[in-house]
């Protein structure tokens, strides 16, 4: 760890001249953790190397897609071999069928699926489909959940908006957001009251079954089941945004993990193996409304492109062959066992929350995070100091206290042990 960042600094200054904020996605700008973003040259397994040759154990993992680690050899080979045959045809390709079959076999509520190019596109399409299917306009989202940057969902959102301290976005017209109702997560009574009050006007509720964009908020026991029951009672569609949890918590995502089936599911990240992919799926009846079969229009030049499909197929196949979720559970348990003795010294000041291979460090006196308020009270300044100290010690955490960390099958015991030591030294430094 030379700690030198000369090349990153130079690249950032050039980037600022030609890219807003010097980044192609706001949360990468290190705004809430301070300092300038590092420019990454390469990744391999659990490690990143920046333009100055500094190497880091990475837990941002490109915000979730890289469940197999960086530059997984099987994924890279699939992309290389496919590229030699062409990168996009704008016509159907066998791999679109193969990956659609894989998704439909694994995700319990999905019979048919449409591939798009990002999680945002998947969610936009899912909401339009819900509105088209029900003929209703209103949608209910939950405070702190982030569903990409479609106008009407940039309301009380998490992720980069929370990081920048602006839960809503400029440029979203009042009209556009007027059909979006925001409720607190983990509060079934508020959901029932809203569905009663808005009876007959709500097309769907959309939620991250496990919110991962405002820290890691675990669903209270029975909450997801109650949301399902309320949607059935008020004949409202339930959309699970599984862009993060899909293929992460279990082969069938959160809906399999918690055994609660939504009407529509959105996917992204992992299913693209690191290439731009999103998807939305549902039962055949609902998906029959999507053009060209039905009247809900959605399209995309590069949707289902061979490269992204090949990467996704290679990733999903490898997850199955590795029985990756068992490995990830063991890694997560090992990580906790390494961290326990360190973090227990700071009980009442630091909380380590994890769910399978997702985790967060939250500087709070609370023993559990179950609402947005709990996260709002956390000390994000201390997180910023922690992030900086960890970087100095060669550990790259997601550059925001509102984001989560991810383990991959490429994180070995040595990486986890080294990380626990870096946590211990960093905490000693800042606490
Ligand atoms: P994308 O359009 O960024 O592919 O996906 C949007 C999205 C939708 N739904 C959920 C649950 C998501 O978490 C996301 C995107 N996640 C953030 C990080 N938590 C992306 C990082 C970024 O914005 O750069």
């Amino acid at each position: 760890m030379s700690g030198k960042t000369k090349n990153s600094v130079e690249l950032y200054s050039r980037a600022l001249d030609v890219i807003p904020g010097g980044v192609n996605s706001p949360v990468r700008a290190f705004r809430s953790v301070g300092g300038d973003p590092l420019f990454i040259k390469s990744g391999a397994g659990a490690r990143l190397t920046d333009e100055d040759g500094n190497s880091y154990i990475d837990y941002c993992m490109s915000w979730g897609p890289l469940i197999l680690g960086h530059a997984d050899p099987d994924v890279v080979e699939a992309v290389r071999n496919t590229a030699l045959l062409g990168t996009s045809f704008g016509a159907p390709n066998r791999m679109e069928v193969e990956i659609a079959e894989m998704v439909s076999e694994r995700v319990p509520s999905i019979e048919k699926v449409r591939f798009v190019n990002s999680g945002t596109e998947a969610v936009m399409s899912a909401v339009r489909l819900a509105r088209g299917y029900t003929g209703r306009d209103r949608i209910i989202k939950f405070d702190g959940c982030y569903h990409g940057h479609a106008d009407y969902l940039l309301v009380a959102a998490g992720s980069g908006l929370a990081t920048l301290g602006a839960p809503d976005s400029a440029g979203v017209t009042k009209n556009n957001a007027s059909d979006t109702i925001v409720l607190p997560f983990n509060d079934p009574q508020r959901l029932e009251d809203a569905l009663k009050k808005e009876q007959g006007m709500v097309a769907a509720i959309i939620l991250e079954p496990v919110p991962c964009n405002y820290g890691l908020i675990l669903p209270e026991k029975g909450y997801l089941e109650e949301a399902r029951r309320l949607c059935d009672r008020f004949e409202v569609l339930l959309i699970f945004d599984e862009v993060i949890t899909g293929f992460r918590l279990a082969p069938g995502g959160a809906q399999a993990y918690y055994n609660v089936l939504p009407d529509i599911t959105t996917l992204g990240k992992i299913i693209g193996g690191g290439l731009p992919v999103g998807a939305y799926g549902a039962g055949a009846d609902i998906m029959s409304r999507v053009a060209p079969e039905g009247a809900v229009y959605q399209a995309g030049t590069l949707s289902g492109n061979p490269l992204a499909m090949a990467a996704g197929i290679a990733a999903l196949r490898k997850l199955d062959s590795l029985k990756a979720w068992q490995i990830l559970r063991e890694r997560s348990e090992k990580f906790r066992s390494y961290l326990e003795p360190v973090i227990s010294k700071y009980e009442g000041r630091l909380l380590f929350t994890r769910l399978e291979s997702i985790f967060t460090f939250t500087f709070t006196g609370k023993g559990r995070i179950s609402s947005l308020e709990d996260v709002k009270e956390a000390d994000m300044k201390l997180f910023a100091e922690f992030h900086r100290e960890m970087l100095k010690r060669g550990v790259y955490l997601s550059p925001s206290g509102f984001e989560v960390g991810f383990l991959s099958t490429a994180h070995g015991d040595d990486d986890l042990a080294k990380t626990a030591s870096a946590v211990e030294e960093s905490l000693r430094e800042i606490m």
Side-chain angles (χ1 to χ4, degrees):
M1 265 300 290
S2 71
K4 269 189 330 51
T5 57
K6 183 175 71 61
N7 294 335
S8 278
V9 167
E10 187 196 308
L11 280 165
Y12 189 47
S13 121
R14 280 170 52 193
L16 285 167
D17 289 343
V18 285
I19 303 172
V23 291
N24 281 310
S25 198
V27 75
R28 301 178 192 172
F30 273 41
R31 285 286 168 96
S32 72
V33 292
D36 292 343
L38 296 169
F39 278 66
I40 302 304
K41 182 171 192 166
S42 65
R47 286 195 171 267
L48 285 175
T49 302
D50 68 17
E51 285 284 351
D52 294 279
N54 300 304
S55 167
Y56 306 87
I57 302 170
D58 180 21
Y59 292 98
C60 181
M61 301 310 280
S62 181
W63 307 97
L66 305 178
I67 193 168
L68 295 166
H70 290 276
D72 174 81
D74 296 297
V75 173
V76 170
E77 187 188 356
V79 172
R80 178 190 289 120
N81 294 341
T82 304
L84 295 172
L85 301 175
T87 55
S88 177
F89 308 117
N93 174 279
R94 78 171 24 249
M95 287 186 285
E96 294 169 82
V97 183
E98 286 171 9
I99 195 169
E101 288 167 343
M102 293 171 87
V103 168
S104 159
E105 280 153 20
R106 287 160 181 75
V107 185
S109 65
I110 291 184
E111 289 180 320
K112 287 193 171 183
V113 59
R114 167 65 62 84
F115 284 84
V116 294
N117 301 284
S118 71
T120 294
E121 231 190 309
V123 171
M124 278 171 61
S125 312
V127 168
R128 185 181 310 134
L129 173 57
R131 286 172 162 160
Y133 185 79
T134 60
R136 301 182 192 149
D137 298 346
R138 295 261 152 103
I139 47 164
I140 291 175
K141 79 172 288 286
F142 296 84
D143 204 351
C145 285
Y146 177 72
H147 303 290
H149 63 87
D151 276 9
Y152 46 82
L153 288 168
L154 288 179
V155 178
S159 186
L161 289 134
T163 299
L164 300 177
D168 306 327
S169 168
V172 174
T173 63
K174 272 198 201 51
N175 286 349
N176 212 324
S178 62
D179 283 323
T180 306
I181 299 160
V182 183
L183 296 177
F185 186 77
N186 267 336
D187 185 337
Q189 191 55 57
R190 289 290 301 279
L191 177 55
E192 181 177 4
D193 296 347
L195 287 170
K196 253 189 216 139
K197 179 167 169 286
E198 304 284 338
Q199 187 132 18
M201 294 197 281
V202 176
I205 74 171
I206 180 168
L207 51 88
E208 295 178 66
V210 180
C212 296
N213 283 288
Y214 213 95
L216 174 55
I217 301 177
L218 302 177
E220 292 296 326
K221 195 166 168 33
Y223 177 68
L224 297 175
E225 290 83 348
E226 185 57 15
R228 175 70 271 175
R229 272 195 297 276
L230 287 168
C231 285
D232 291 340
R233 185 173 138 204
F234 290 95
E235 295 176 313
V236 162
L237 295 182
L238 174 59
I239 302 175
F240 269 8
D241 179 351
E242 294 223 44
V243 166
I244 285 186
T245 55
F247 295 96
R248 165 80 47 190
L249 291 184
Q255 59 193 269
Y257 192 77
Y258 290 102
N259 194 24
V260 175
L261 301 194
D263 298 299
I264 302 176
T265 303
T266 56
L267 296 165
K269 297 184 193 263
I270 289 171
I271 60 169
L275 268 69
V277 178
Y280 62 105
D285 169 40
I286 292 178
M287 291 305 282
S288 71
R289 304 300 183 87
V290 179
E293 228 178 293
V296 177
Y297 193 72
Q298 175 268 310
T301 305
L302 290 165
S303 295
N305 81 78
L307 281 197
M309 299 294 96
I313 290 168
L316 297 187
R317 278 201 182 125
K318 188 157 185 177
L319 285 172
D320 283 351
S321 63
L322 286 178
K323 294 192 176 39
W325 297 277
Q326 190 48 44
I327 295 174
L328 291 166
R329 177 167 290 187
E330 285 156 13
R331 292 286 148 81
S332 175
E333 186 41 43
K334 174 78 82 173
F335 195 34
R336 186 203 57 76
S337 69
Y338 284 155
L339 286 171
E340 193 76 56
V342 174
I343 291 183
S344 57
K345 291 180 202 150
Y346 300 95
E347 198 170 338
R349 299 169 71 193
L350 172 64
L351 180 62
F352 176 70
T353 308
R354 70 188 175 109
L355 182 64
E356 303 300 333
S357 57
I358 307 172
F359 67 88
T360 48
F361 293 100
T362 314
F363 289 89
T364 175
K366 293 193 180 299
R368 173 185 169 87
I369 300 289
S370 61
S371 75
L372 204 73
E373 303 318 318
D374 294 345
V375 180
K376 275 182 181 159
E377 290 166 25
D379 185 338
M380 292 303 176
K381 281 197 177 35
L382 208 44
F383 179 84
E385 290 176 43
F386 179 61
H387 186 271
R388 271 197 296 281
E389 290 301 322
M390 291 290 277
L391 265 190
K392 280 187 211 160
R393 294 171 175 80
V395 178
Y396 190 100
L397 297 176
S398 301
S400 161
F402 292 101
E403 299 284 355
V404 296
F406 297 100
L407 294 174
S408 77
T409 52
H411 283 88
D413 286 359
D414 185 44
D415 298 317
L416 302 178
K418 279 194 180 119
T419 304
S421 307
V423 170
E424 180 162 33
E425 291 165 22
S426 301
L427 292 176
R428 200 179 301 131
E429 192 66 31
I430 67 171
M431 298 290 253

